[in-house]
Coordinates of all heavy atoms in Angstrom, one line a residue:
G110 N 48.6 86.8 16.5 CA 49.1 86.0 17.6 C 48.1 86.0 18.8 O 47.9 85.0 19.5
N111 N 47.4 87.2 18.9 CA 46.4 87.2 20.0 C 45.2 86.3 19.7 O 44.5 85.9 20.7 CB 45.9 88.7 20.1 CG 46.9 89.6 20.8 OD1 47.6 89.2 21.7 ND2 46.9 90.8 20.4
D112 N 44.9 86.0 18.5 CA 43.8 85.2 18.2 C 44.1 83.7 18.1 O 43.3 82.8 18.3 CB 43.1 85.6 16.9 CG 42.3 86.8 17.0 OD1 41.8 87.1 18.1 OD2 42.0 87.5 16.0
I113 N 45.4 83.4 17.8 CA 45.8 82.0 17.7 C 45.7 81.2 19.0 O 45.2 80.1 19.0 CB 47.2 81.9 17.1 CG1 47.2 82.3 15.6 CG2 47.8 80.5 17.3 CD1 48.5 82.4 15.0
G114 N 46.0 81.9 20.1 CA 45.9 81.2 21.4 C 44.5 80.7 21.7 O 44.2 79.5 21.9
P115 N 43.4 81.6 21.7 CA 42.1 81.1 21.9 C 41.6 80.1 20.9 O 40.8 79.2 21.2 CB 41.2 82.4 21.9 CG 42.2 83.5 22.2 CD 43.5 83.0 21.6
L116 N 42.1 80.2 19.6 CA 41.6 79.3 18.6 C 42.2 77.9 18.7 O 41.6 76.9 18.3 CB 42.0 79.8 17.2 CG 41.1 81.0 16.6 CD1 41.8 81.6 15.4 CD2 39.7 80.5 16.4
T117 N 43.4 77.8 19.4 CA 44.0 76.5 19.5 C 44.0 75.9 20.9 O 44.5 74.8 21.1 CB 45.5 76.6 19.1 OG1 46.2 77.6 20.0 CG2 45.7 77.0 17.7
V118 N 43.2 76.5 21.8 CA 43.2 76.0 23.2 C 42.7 74.6 23.2 O 43.1 73.8 24.0 CB 42.4 77.0 24.1 CG1 40.9 76.9 23.8 CG2 42.7 76.7 25.6
H119 N 41.7 74.2 22.4 CA 41.1 72.9 22.5 C 42.1 71.8 21.9 O 42.0 70.7 22.2 CB 39.8 72.8 21.7 CG 40.0 73.0 20.2 ND1 40.3 74.2 19.6 CD2 39.9 72.1 19.2 CE1 40.3 74.0 18.3 NE2 40.1 72.8 18.0
I120 N 43.1 72.3 21.2 CA 44.2 71.4 20.7 C 45.3 71.2 21.7 O 45.7 70.1 22.0 CB 44.7 71.9 19.3 CG1 43.6 72.0 18.3 CG2 45.9 71.0 18.9 CD1 44.0 72.8 17.1
R121 N 45.7 72.4 22.3 CA 46.8 72.4 23.2 C 46.4 71.8 24.6 O 47.2 71.2 25.2 CB 47.3 73.8 23.4 CG 48.0 74.4 22.3 CD 48.5 75.8 22.5 NE 47.3 76.7 22.5 CZ 46.9 77.4 23.6 NH1 47.5 77.3 24.7 NH2 45.8 78.2 23.5
C122 N 45.2 72.0 25.0 CA 44.7 71.5 26.3 C 43.4 70.7 26.1 O 42.3 71.3 26.2 CB 44.4 72.7 27.2 SG 45.8 73.8 27.4
P123 N 43.5 69.4 25.7 CA 42.3 68.6 25.4 C 41.3 68.6 26.6 O 40.2 68.3 26.4 CB 42.9 67.2 25.1 CG 44.3 67.4 24.9 CD 44.7 68.7 25.6
E124 N 41.8 68.8 27.8 CA 41.0 68.7 29.0 C 40.1 70.0 29.1 O 39.2 70.1 29.9 CB 41.8 68.5 30.3 CG 42.7 69.7 30.7 CD 44.0 69.7 30.0 OE1 44.3 68.8 29.2 OE2 44.7 70.7 30.2
F125 N 40.4 71.0 28.3 CA 39.6 72.3 28.4 C 38.2 72.0 27.9 O 38.0 71.4 26.8 CB 40.3 73.3 27.5 CG 39.6 74.7 27.5 CD1 39.7 75.5 28.5 CD2 38.9 75.0 26.3 CE1 39.0 76.7 28.5 CE2 38.2 76.3 26.3 CZ 38.3 77.1 27.4
K126 N 37.2 72.4 28.7 CA 35.8 72.2 28.3 C 35.4 73.3 27.3 O 35.4 74.5 27.6 CB 35.0 72.3 29.6 CG 35.3 71.3 30.6 CD 34.9 69.9 30.2 CE 35.1 68.9 31.3 NZ 35.8 67.7 30.9
Q127 N 35.0 72.8 26.1 CA 34.5 73.7 25.1 C 33.5 72.9 24.3 O 33.7 71.7 24.1 CB 35.7 74.1 24.2 CG 35.4 75.0 23.1 CD 36.6 75.6 22.4 OE1 37.2 76.5 22.9 NE2 36.9 75.1 21.2
S128 N 32.5 73.5 23.8 CA 31.5 72.8 23.1 C 32.1 72.3 21.8 O 33.0 72.8 21.2 CB 30.3 73.7 22.7 OG 30.7 74.7 21.8
K129 N 31.5 71.2 21.3 CA 32.0 70.6 20.1 C 31.8 71.5 18.9 O 32.6 71.5 18.0 CB 31.3 69.2 19.8 CG 31.7 68.1 20.7 CD 31.1 66.8 20.4 CE 31.6 65.8 21.4 NZ 31.2 64.4 21.0
S130 N 30.7 72.3 18.9 CA 30.5 73.2 17.8 C 31.5 74.3 17.8 O 32.0 74.7 16.7 CB 29.1 73.7 17.8 OG 28.9 74.5 19.0
K131 N 31.9 74.8 18.9 CA 33.0 75.8 19.0 C 34.3 75.2 18.6 O 35.1 75.9 17.9 CB 33.0 76.4 20.4 CG 33.9 77.6 20.5 CD 33.8 78.3 21.8 CE 34.7 79.6 21.8 NZ 34.6 80.4 23.0
S132 N 34.6 74.0 19.0 CA 35.9 73.4 18.6 C 35.9 73.2 17.1 O 36.9 73.4 16.4 CB 36.1 72.1 19.3 OG 36.3 72.2 20.7
A133 N 34.8 72.7 16.5 CA 34.7 72.5 15.1 C 34.8 73.8 14.3 O 35.5 73.9 13.3 CB 33.3 71.9 14.7
R134 N 34.2 74.9 14.8 CA 34.4 76.2 14.2 C 35.8 76.7 14.3 O 36.3 77.2 13.3 CB 33.4 77.2 14.9 CG 33.5 78.6 14.4 CD 33.0 78.8 12.9 NE 33.2 80.1 12.5 CZ 33.7 80.5 11.3 NH1 34.1 79.6 10.5 NH2 33.8 81.7 11.0
S135 N 36.4 76.5 15.4 CA 37.9 76.9 15.6 C 38.7 76.1 14.6 O 39.6 76.7 14.0 CB 38.4 76.6 17.0 OG 37.7 77.5 17.9
D136 N 38.5 74.8 14.5 CA 39.2 74.0 13.5 C 39.0 74.5 12.1 O 40.0 74.6 11.3 CB 38.7 72.5 13.5 CG 39.2 71.8 14.8 OD1 40.1 72.3 15.4 OD2 38.6 70.8 15.1

Side-chain angles (χ1 to χ4, degrees):
N111 285 327
D112 283 339
I113 288 173
L116 284 169
T117 60
V118 70
H119 68 288
I120 299 166
R121 291 178 287 115
C122 305
E124 67 279 355
F125 181 74
K126 300 286 187 228
Q127 179 171 284
S128 71
K129 288 185 180 189
S130 64
K131 188 170 184 178
S132 293
R134 177 67 180 132
S135 292
D136 289 342

